[in-house]
């Protein structure tokens, strides 16, 4: 049975940026494969928004900022544990641009996140300090939009955190699994699905919408 998308449902395209595609600075395996699928899904939606990872060159999440540390190691910051990453999605770099293959002219809003040097932000709703809000919930509430479908990169970080925070903020959240790809570092993918399930996030495949 296909799911009927209403004009008030929102497709949230998470971090489909050059640095997260194969060959990018934090390339996600298969990340390029989801672009045509996201374009097809977007045709079903009146409302489409994007998130964009957007870091200063000296961002605290970069391993390069911590002497003796390598990408994918963990450190402890004021707000809690932080995975260290290769430099990625730096301001105005090619890697930070949304993937050129995205063909979604009716996309309406881009939420940039991670621009504060000292605080990472996987989630499109709030920064990793769990306090600073991005304004996305306010935007959705003001426009009376409460059902979100998430696609993009990476399943286990920015998609997962956005899904969980969206559910916590009272939105009805569904992740379209085959329109995401994962980094899967140290068991992060299985953990993310378990956390999403616990938060009440639904999980579907694109054919349930595309037919
Ligand atoms: C992401 C790691 C660091 C993501 C962003 O988009 O999933 N992952 N920054
Ligand atoms: Zn990032």
């Amino acid at each position: 049975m296909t799911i009927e998308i209403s004009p008030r449902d929102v497709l949230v395209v998470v971090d489909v940026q050059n640095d997260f595609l194969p060959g990018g600075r934090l390339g996600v395996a298969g990340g390029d494969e989801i672009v045509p699928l996201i374009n097809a899904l977007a045709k079903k939606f009146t409302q489409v928004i994007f998130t964009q990872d957007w870091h200063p060159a000296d961002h605290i999440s970069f391993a390069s900022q911590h002497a003796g540390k390598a990408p994918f190691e963990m450190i402890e910051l004021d707000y809690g544990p932080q995975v260290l990453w290769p430099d990625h999605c730096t301001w105005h770099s090619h890697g930070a641009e949304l993937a050129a293959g995205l063909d979604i002219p009716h996309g309406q809003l881009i939420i940039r996140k991670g621009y504060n040097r000292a605080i990472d932000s996987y989630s499109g709703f709030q920064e990793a300090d769990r306090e600073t809000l991005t304004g996305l919930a306010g935007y959705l509430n003001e426009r009376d939009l409460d059902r979100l479908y998430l696609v993009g990169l990476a399943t286990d970080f920015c998609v997962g955190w956005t899904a969980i925070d969206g559910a916590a903020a009272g939105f009805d959240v569904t992740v379209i699994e085959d329109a995401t790809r994962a980094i899967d570092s140290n068991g992060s993918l299985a953990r993310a699905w378990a956390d999403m399930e616990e938060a009440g996030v639904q999980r579907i495949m694109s054919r349930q919408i595309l037919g």
Side-chain angles (χ1 to χ4, degrees):
M1 208 184 67
T2 36
I3 297 167
E4 198 57 46
I5 298 299
S6 108
R8 292 179 49 252
D9 295 341
V10 186
L11 184 68
V12 183
V13 180
V14 177
D15 295 9
V16 182
Q17 295 167 255
N18 293 326
D19 270 343
F20 296 124
L21 301 185
R25 290 184 289 177
L26 180 41
V28 180
D32 51 334
E33 296 164 8
I34 65 175
V35 173
L37 194 52
I38 292 172
N39 290 338
L41 286 162
K43 291 191 169 46
K44 301 275 184 186
F45 286 80
T46 308
Q47 321 281 347
V48 183
I49 67 169
F50 305 88
T51 65
Q52 186 176 28
D53 214 39
W54 191 251
H55 299 308
D58 59 351
H59 194 250
I60 199 159
S61 76
F62 295 168
S64 61
Q65 298 299 304
H66 304 271
K69 297 289 180 187
F72 305 101
E73 283 182 31
M74 299 283 302
I75 57 165
E76 204 55 47
L77 295 177
D78 294 345
Y79 55 76
Q82 171 70 48
V83 182
L84 293 176
W85 303 107
D87 292 14
H88 64 277
C89 298
T90 45
W91 289 345
H92 295 300
S93 62
H94 171 75
E97 286 170 20
L98 298 185
L102 287 174
D103 181 16
I104 313 180
H106 57 301
Q108 296 149 24
L109 175 77
I110 300 174
I111 288 275
R112 286 177 169 169
K113 59 188 181 60
Y115 47 78
N116 183 336
R117 185 204 168 261
I119 312 175
D120 205 2
S121 188
Y122 299 142
S123 163
F125 286 96
Q126 60 177 1
E127 299 185 6
D129 61 359
R130 319 305 292 155
E131 272 175 26
T132 311
L133 301 178
T134 65
L136 178 55
Y139 170 88
L140 295 167
N141 284 328
E142 188 164 320
R143 299 197 54 207
D144 218 6
L145 305 170
D146 56 16
R147 196 139 54 118
L148 311 183
Y149 289 87
L150 269 54
V151 297
L153 304 167
T155 327
D156 41 348
F157 289 93
C158 291
V159 174
W161 285 53
T162 301
I164 289 166
D165 286 348
F171 298 97
D172 180 338
V173 181
T174 300
V175 172
I176 307 174
E177 181 175 0
D178 56 330
T180 73
R181 289 291 185 277
I183 293 172
D184 203 10
S185 165
N186 299 312
S188 56
L189 181 59
R191 205 158 52 239
W193 280 121
D195 292 347
M196 285 191 273
E197 187 172 1
E198 164 104 20
V201 172
Q202 296 161 78
R203 175 177 179 173
I204 64 167
M205 297 299 258
S206 59
R207 69 181 129 73
Q208 291 173 258
I209 291 176
L210 297 174

